Amino acid sequence: MTLTEQELRTLDYEPDPGGHFGDYGGRYVSETLMAALNELDHSYQKLKNDPDFQREFDADLASFVGRPSPLYHADRWSKVIGGAQIYFKREDLNHTGAHKVNNTIGQALLAKYSGKPRVIAETGAGQHGVASATVAARLGLECVVYMGADDIERQSPNVYRMKLLGAEVVSVESGSRTLKDALSEAMRDWVTNVDNTFYIIGTVAGPAPYPQLVRDFNAVVGREVKWQSREIFGKYPDALVACVGGGSNAIGLFYPFLRDVEVAVYGVEAAGRGLSTNEHAAPLCSGRPGVLHGAKTYLMDNSDGQIAHTHSVSAGLDYPGVGPEHSYLKDIGRANYVGATDEEALAAFHEVSQVEGIIPALETAHALAYTKTLAASMRPDQTIVCNMSGRGDKDIFTVAKMEGISLT
Ligand SMILES: *Cc1c(COP(=O)(O)O)cnc(C)c1O
């Protein structure tokens, strides 16, 4: 399974025409969805080389999102740790506060160029719903967001944000009243309304071509790091680190560097209460291959083959599957996948807030926790780029509550 260094250096890292990354990915969906996915694949393969489309995408990334995001030297934190120089790729400074908008802008433009006036999305914690509602407003598209009834109760500020942005939020009362039920409803909507509707998926998971197109829209992150690292420290980083929920911020950073095999790559999953407990969300560290949400990939299941219950302190990492390209990169040995626990993430959350003046998202705090361990094992003339996938404003209530502090 593991490839040689020479093979890793020359691989093209593109899916085959069926959307497979090695054994993973593909389209494990019903006949009715197959037609919609084929149509999407066709328009994407055409539009990704269309100069008008690319120009509009780049212009929105610059003037609406605020790209390029800075590459910031976490000088004080590097000194405190006493190992490698740590740099943060500041996706937290993007409009809406995370990397997700890179992808939703791309998909909303695909909707526009494919003549679809209506977009739908599903959301758990609400971050992807807000990012979708934002770009729909920007482009004048109708937007419907499916959300589990329980999640609506838990995430009322994001529900209100989506409404302020003009989106309709549909409460899903069936099943466990959470993300997976919202996902089923969104799928049903898409099949019924495919003629006028574009389905915006929030990470590099799902059936082909979604893992490829979401990766391509986020790859601006890694492309910027390539020129920024040369400009700032005169070479590529020795290592890249990013948290992995579905895996979109991670693949966005990693993808442009995959053939540069001297750059080590680390994806950090949510180890929750520990990888030896069942209370985590780390399919690459401790799951096995299977089929989830239309693609073959590593996932977490129990002994009956049912998708397992997951746990993480961060909603954005609390997912039993992972994008299929990560499964492939793990098997061929190009990327390493490790875990950070809730406790380690919280410690990094506080330390980076106090030492660098940046409050990170709890998802990002997992990447920071591993960055600390890795930096300590490296020399001061070496460099790590850690993807600061989002800002922590949304998480201060969770952190306060865990520490027994009431904010309202
Ligand atoms: C949603 C989210 C994630 C997890 O999603 P990926 O697809 O794995 O990137 C990570 N960080 C932040 C800040 C998020 O909002």
Side-chain angles (χ1 to χ4, degrees):
M1 287 267 226
T2 314
L3 301 182
T4 65
E5 198 179 300
Q6 186 53 30
E7 286 168 326
L8 292 173
R9 205 179 279 286
T10 50
L11 210 63
D12 77 354
Y13 296 97
E14 294 306 324
D16 72 13
H20 301 94
F21 297 89
D23 273 351
Y24 302 102
R27 285 181 200 145
Y28 294 81
V29 298
S30 65
E31 229 16 72
T32 41
L33 269 183
M34 201 57 112
L37 291 167
N38 281 332
E39 183 196 316
L40 172 60
D41 192 31
H42 185 76
S43 49
Y44 179 62
Q45 303 306 337
K46 202 174 66 198
L47 282 169
K48 79 175 179 190
N49 299 314
D50 179 312
D52 289 336
F53 177 84
Q54 278 305 334
R55 207 173 304 122
E56 198 168 344
F57 180 54
D58 292 344
D60 265 6
L61 289 181
S63 65
F64 190 64
V65 177
R67 306 204 69 91
S69 67
L71 185 63
Y72 163 81
H73 188 193
D75 187 22
R76 291 226 308 135
W77 199 40
S78 305
K79 285 207 181 81
V80 168
I81 296 168
Q85 301 308 309
I86 299 167
Y87 289 79
F88 295 156
K89 178 58 172 165
R90 299 291 308 276
E91 294 300 291
D92 60 312
L93 294 179
N94 292 344
H95 179 44
T96 68
H99 67 287
K100 285 192 171 71
V101 70
N102 300 320
N103 166 49
T104 55
I105 285 204
Q107 290 194 53
L109 280 175
L110 279 183
K112 178 179 151 178
Y113 277 71
S114 320
K116 315 249 165 166
R118 178 175 182 266
V119 297
I120 59 171
E122 93 289 320
T123 196
Q127 297 303 115
H128 174 58
V130 171
S132 298
T134 300
V135 298
R138 162 82 182 83
L139 292 177
L141 303 168
E142 181 189 345
C143 180
V144 177
V145 180
Y146 289 91
M147 196 165 177
D150 285 359
D151 289 336
I152 285 185
E153 258 166 57
R154 284 193 289 240
Q155 308 289 343
S156 56
N158 274 341
V159 175
Y160 187 56
R161 276 188 194 101
M162 287 183 253
K163 289 180 177 165
L164 286 174
L165 292 160
E168 180 192 348
V169 180
V170 177
S171 172
V172 178
E173 314 277 346
S174 56
S176 61
R177 297 155 55 102
T178 59
L179 178 63
K180 71 184 197 341
D181 313 290
L183 203 136
S184 311
E185 279 307 310
M187 287 279 180
R188 230 181 315 254
D189 180 320
W190 197 36
V191 172
T192 314
N193 300 303
V194 66
D195 287 342
N196 73 345
T197 298
F198 190 100
Y199 182 15
I200 302 185
I201 287 190
T203 187
V204 283
Y210 281 103
Q212 181 193 10
L213 66 87
V214 176
R215 174 198 72 187
D216 292 350
F217 293 141
N218 269 299
V220 64
V221 175
R223 283 197 302 273
E224 287 175 4
V225 170
K226 278 198 146 178
W227 62 258
Q228 289 173 319
S229 58
R230 275 205 219 95
E231 204 170 279
I232 297 171
F233 49 85
K235 56 178 184 168
Y236 287 163
D238 295 291
L240 305 173
V241 181
C243 64
V244 177
S248 66
N249 87 88
I251 206 74
L253 174 63
F254 301 168
Y255 173 67
F257 287 98
L258 289 176
R259 287 187 186 178
D260 304 298
V261 295
E262 63 284 1
V263 180
V265 165
Y266 298 89
V268 187
E269 295 190 308
R273 301 196 169 94
L275 289 177
S276 58
T277 69
N278 287 328
E279 305 273 291
H280 61 75
L284 290 166
C285 291
S286 75
R288 57 178 178 174
V291 170
L292 181 67
H293 297 147
K296 185 169 173 193
T297 191
Y298 276 83
L299 51 77
M300 286 172 54
D301 60 0
N302 58 31
S303 49
D304 308 329
Q306 297 284 90
I307 296 304
H309 163 83
T310 54
H311 162 81
S312 170
V313 66
S314 71
L317 302 186
D318 200 353
Y319 178 59
V322 65
E325 189 168 4
H326 287 289
S327 298
Y328 179 59
L329 295 178
K330 171 188 161 80
D331 281 7
I332 64 175
R334 178 61 187 99
N336 308 286
Y337 295 92
V338 297
T341 63
D342 290 353
E343 205 176 322
E344 290 164 338
L346 271 170
F349 174 92
H350 286 297
E351 187 170 338
V352 170
S353 297
Q354 291 179 18
V355 176
E356 291 295 342
I358 298 169
I359 301 177
L362 278 175
E363 291 85 1
T364 312
H366 290 71
L368 294 166
Y370 186 71
T371 295
K372 180 173 178 169
T373 308
L374 183 64
S377 75
M378 292 167 65
R379 299 185 314 266
D381 63 328
Q382 294 182 299
T383 53
I384 301 175
V385 170
C386 177
N387 202 1
M388 181 66 68
S389 58
R391 63 178 86 128
D393 306 36
K394 68 185 176 60
D395 294 318
I396 61 170
F397 299 93
T398 308
V399 173
K401 196 168 161 192
M402 290 177 71
E403 300 183 342
I405 297 164
S406 168
L407 293 184
T408 43

